[in-house]
Amino acid sequence: MAGMHKPPLPTSFTRRDWGRAALAMALAPWSLSAQQALGAPDDAKRAVRWQNDPFALGVASGQPRADSVVLWTRLLVQEADAALNAQPLAVQCEVFADEALRQRVGQWTVMTDAQRGMSVHVEAKGLQPLRHYWYRFTCGSATSPVGRTRTTPVAPDKAALLRMALASCQHFEQGAFTAHRDIAQQDLDLVLFVGDYIYESSNPRYLVRAHQGGVPKTLEEYRARHAQYKGDADLRACHAAHPWVMTWDDHEVVNDYANDRDQNYTDPQVFLRRRAAAYQAYFEHMPLRLGPDAANPANMRIHDRMAWGQLADIWTLDNRQYRSYHACPDPLKGGGRVVMGCNELADTQRTLLGMDQERWLTQGLNTSQAAWKVVAQGTQMSSTGLATPMGRSAFTDGWDGYPMARERFLQNIVDAQLRDVLVLGGDVHMNVAAQLRVQPNDEKSPIVASELVTTSITSRGMSETLAAQIRSNNPDIAHLRPDERGYTLIQITPGGVQSAFKTTANPAQSGSVFATQAQFAVKRGVAGVVKN
Ligand code: FE
Ligand code: CA
């Protein structure tokens, strides 16, 4: 068979280097520095000949800082190149200051192998603040597409502008990722993606295109699902155009999971193995600095904080990994459901973020010097309950299922006299603009923060009948529409936030045009969304 012979080792890479490399990887398989510590064989370029393009999953950048950014790719080793799976491969990453790729400002060589799914994470350091960079990867005979990224302003800078696209919920089967093509063409600093990047499940009612394989449970199956999503050219274009700042929600693992519990009440030890596989595959496909904890791959910290000069601090929260179990669950089928008269909701010990993450967020918010405090997380914070003869209803998977945790978050804004807190979310497949009060929908309770929730890239929304009931039962909601797909443009300046829900008819189709469904502003110093 052709291509079965092992390519020779790069000559400048000695046996001792390989020994050190193997040791470094074994000690810290997820550490970027362990991968990057390895020397760059200059002739690595000639060492590996590819039959198929190993860069078919594209390139991405993320977690930007003033002097660094994480650059990502994952080698897709297809059948004809299968022999390459057996050895570590050297991948070169180059960073340029110009689009013509004439001024190279950095070059890194990292090793990858099948154990890490042939994923490549480079922390490109020594960059200048608030500017674009271009990057590409090379492995042997193959060169990747060129990506563009952008650094943040340096902390003391009084940056005057931050432009973002907020996105979530991209069920592959339920529509085309045209929204990503549109985002790719926008003039932005970053993309903020708040969860449901992949979906594990299918709904045969809404089948525009099909998942390959069944519901993933193993590492190989989650890798294959991520690879299928990255096979979408619009999604790749959006990653290549902007750095992404990300968190996850449930579908990256399985619908409505809570901590170590899934909907089927699977033995937690069994479920945690599945969750670890999903987290590992997620990390392998995303431009993230932090990987799974080598000591316990079931845990992967994704919550993070970044600064946009003094204009904004942005927290990205993990709503899934540390939360209390759903309140008043159905003993036969777990996960979220609509409940009435559930006393467990009043339990102050219950938490959506986990107490450690909650304390970390509170401390960060209370000491932040930034003009805007942006809290990006997976779902909707404002209430969507309905008045019923048995009391007010609550959907237990969202913040309505953790009302005391929500109250702690909002009461802290009052107690610490915080201003200009903007909560961003996704998950609910509808555009929402809402006022956040310590006591939801209580006009006597002051508005303390503002909320914008983006509709889905593709995933179907609820019926207009239910949406109308939610609107009429929740005066805090200024806007709520589940009928269209898209994303949200957000522009932050010292004086205010300007947002626009950019949408297309459902389902999203290739070639869709995105129109402005509604625009909301938040004025500096005045909590609450205002339609304009
Ligand atoms: Fe979703
Ligand atoms: Ca979700």
Side-chain angles (χ1 to χ4, degrees), residues 259-280:
N259 203 312
D260 62 1
R261 178 183 276 186
D262 72 7
Q263 287 184 103
N264 302 323
Y265 300 112
T266 301
D267 175 349
Q269 292 314 310
V270 175
F271 175 66
L272 283 177
R273 282 199 290 277
R274 180 183 186 185
R275 200 183 79 172
Y279 285 2
Q280 180 173 337

Side-chain angles (χ1 to χ4, degrees), residues 174-460:
Q174 297 185 7
F177 291 167
T178 332
H180 281 306
R181 173 142 306 193
D182 209 62
I183 297 171
Q185 289 160 2
Q186 299 287 336
D187 189 10
L188 300 174
D189 295 300
L190 58 92
V191 173
L192 193 51
F193 194 90
V194 291
D196 290 356
Y197 187 97
I198 59 162
Y199 281 71
E200 85 292 357
S201 54
S202 292
N203 184 339
R205 280 170 65 205
Y206 309 121
L207 202 62
V208 174
R209 49 183 182 170
H211 280 150
Q212 291 155 9
V215 176
K217 288 195 164 149
T218 66
L219 176 57
E220 280 309 318
E221 290 163 353
Y222 279 109
R223 280 173 174 161
R225 181 57 50 85
H226 275 282
Q228 185 181 8
Y229 277 55
K230 285 267 175 22
D232 185 283
D234 291 338
L235 178 57
R236 288 202 306 278
C238 192
H239 276 296
H242 311 293
W244 284 38
V245 174
M246 310 184 67
T247 189
W248 54 37
D249 193 34
D250 51 340
H251 288 287
E252 285 86 350
V253 181
V254 67
N255 183 51
D256 280 7
Y257 82 91
N259 203 312
D260 62 1
R261 178 183 276 186
D262 72 7
Q263 287 184 103
N264 302 323
Y265 300 112
T266 301
D267 175 349
Q269 292 314 310
V270 175
F271 175 66
L272 283 177
R273 282 199 290 277
R274 180 183 186 185
R275 200 183 79 172
Y279 285 2
Q280 180 173 337
Y282 181 89
F283 173 73
E284 286 175 355
H285 288 81
M286 302 303 165
L288 293 168
R289 192 174 271 104
L290 304 158
D293 176 349
N296 183 1
N299 302 326
M300 176 175 149
R301 176 173 162 159
I302 195 165
H303 58 283
D304 195 21
R305 173 186 179 169
M306 66 172 282
W308 194 263
Q310 292 183 338
L311 180 64
D313 277 335
I314 303 174
W315 285 264
T316 36
L317 305 184
D318 182 342
N319 282 1
R320 287 288 161 190
Q321 188 172 184
Y322 316 110
R323 67 158 72 189
S324 306
Y325 297 145
H326 295 99
C328 299
D330 182 326
L332 297 177
K333 172 99 175 135
R337 63 169 176 159
V338 176
V339 297
M340 283 147 286
C342 170
N343 292 330
E344 207 187 327
L345 293 176
D347 181 351
T348 56
Q349 302 298 308
R350 297 183 66 256
T351 164
L352 186 70
L353 301 173
M355 288 303 182
D356 287 347
Q357 186 182 192
E358 195 174 307
R359 264 192 299 274
W360 165 85
L361 172 65
T362 305
Q363 278 171 10
L365 283 168
N366 295 359
T367 53
S368 169
Q369 300 295 312
W372 292 93
K373 294 150 194 73
V374 180
V375 179
Q377 46 82 53
T379 191
Q380 180 178 353
M381 187 173 279
S382 50
S383 181
T384 57
L386 307 179
T388 81
M390 284 105 76
R392 202 177 151 82
S393 70
F395 177 57
T396 57
D397 192 59
W399 281 98
D400 273 348
Y402 300 83
M404 303 314 289
R406 174 172 60 197
E407 189 177 309
R408 279 196 299 277
F409 172 79
L410 295 167
Q411 184 63 47
N412 174 66
I413 294 175
V414 177
D415 295 345
Q417 297 178 295
L418 302 180
R419 288 179 154 211
D420 306 310
V421 177
L422 175 66
V423 177
L424 303 178
D427 172 51
V428 290
H429 309 171
M430 54 192 180
N431 285 322
V432 180
Q435 324 300 0
L436 293 173
R437 304 175 193 268
V438 178
Q439 301 304 327
N441 298 310
D442 179 352
E443 275 189 23
K444 295 189 290 297
S445 182
I447 298 169
V448 298
S450 318
E451 177 175 48
L452 296 168
V453 178
T454 191
T455 194
S456 53
I457 295 286
T458 55
S459 310
R460 300 298 165 113

Side-chain angles (χ1 to χ4, degrees), residues 2-10 18 44-55 75-91 111-115 117-119 139-142:
M4 284 302 287
H5 66 278
K6 251 187 167 176
L9 287 178
W18 282 111
K45 256 192 149 120
R46 285 191 300 276
V48 176
R49 296 237 141 254
W50 294 90
Q51 310 287 314
N52 287 305
D53 179 13
F55 295 110
L75 304 176
L76 186 68
V77 184
Q78 299 182 60
E79 199 62 39
D81 297 306
L84 297 175
N85 271 319
Q87 61 180 52
L89 294 175
V91 181
M111 304 300 296
T112 188
D113 61 13
Q115 193 199 335
M118 295 293 182
S119 64
C139 181
S141 61

